[in-house]
Amino acid sequence: MTTDMGSAALRLAEIRRVRPEDAARMRALRLEMLADAPLAFLETLADAAARPHNEFAARVAYTSAGSSNAQFIADPGSRLVGHAGGTTAPNEPGLTVIYAVYVTPRWRGGGLLGELIDGVAAWSRACGRPELLLEVVVGNDRAYRAYQRLGFKDTGVRVPHPTVPALTELQMRKTA
């Protein structure tokens, strides 16, 4: 494989909902996510690495079925290369909040981000939630532009970063 995956990435990685048997590979991807983009997620690499495998396995099992929380992965058949989660919004029944979006650096730029978001969007629509929301750290222009290309619009809403008080996040929405 080359470092520029291009459109071949979509043919080489299946986009699907996580399954219980993915727990070990999901744990490896989660640790990669936290090492590569520590400000983008709500836990530290040290905390995640210290968590027992059975906790990862329980989380994967929980998000593998049902309509309140789901995780979608990009699976080329070996190490997982992408992730996007979706969860309900307690105060907006028609909204799915997208969380923990990540594509392995070697696979970026080949369309996996859009495919992962499409997976969450299809699940959201099937659950009766026609709108998507995500948050991006203000200043993460690469992610901001990528989400704009996928049709997300900046709502103008700014919220404090949940774990780093010096940072602010912006909210973006689009129709699922």
Side-chain angles (χ1 to χ4, degrees):
M1 270 186 240
T2 64
T3 56
D4 177 17
M5 297 307 296
S7 62
L10 293 177
R11 291 188 297 277
L12 297 173
E14 176 187 11
I15 307 302
R16 63 173 173 80
R17 193 163 183 182
V18 73
R19 297 187 291 244
E21 60 268 22
D22 296 319
R25 294 188 305 148
M26 190 57 225
R27 180 183 183 143
L29 181 63
R30 180 68 179 176
L31 297 177
E32 176 188 326
M33 293 163 66
L34 293 166
D36 185 46
L39 296 178
F41 306 106
L42 300 182
E43 70 180 329
T44 66
L45 177 59
D47 287 345
R51 191 167 346 119
H53 177 73
N54 65 338
E55 287 184 23
F56 273 95
R59 175 72 176 172
V60 168
Y62 170 73
T63 61
S64 70
S67 62
S68 64
N69 201 315
Q71 293 184 45
F72 290 83
I73 54 173
D75 183 1
S78 56
R79 187 174 180 91
L80 301 177
V81 296
H83 175 273
T87 189
T88 58
N91 299 326
E92 286 190 62
L95 180 69
T96 290
V97 177
I98 296 176
Y99 67 90
V101 178
Y102 181 77
V103 174
T104 296
R106 278 190 60 191
W107 287 70
R108 291 178 187 158
L112 284 180
L113 175 66
E115 293 295 313
L116 287 162
I117 297 299
D118 287 349
V120 177
W123 168 78
S124 183
R125 288 189 307 273
C127 295
R129 295 186 300 272
E131 191 171 11
L132 304 174
L133 174 136
L134 55 78
E135 294 176 344
V136 178
V137 172
V138 171
N140 186 346
D141 295 335
R142 184 177 53 86
Y144 182 81
R145 287 189 305 272
Y147 291 128
Q148 280 184 315
R149 285 191 297 273
L150 295 177
F152 284 88
K153 304 287 184 218
D154 189 336
T155 65
V157 175
R158 303 298 184 260
V159 296
H161 188 281
T163 60
V164 183
L167 297 177
T168 302
E169 293 185 318
L170 59 88
Q171 293 184 346
M172 300 180 83
R173 290 181 180 238
K174 84 171 204 165
T175 302

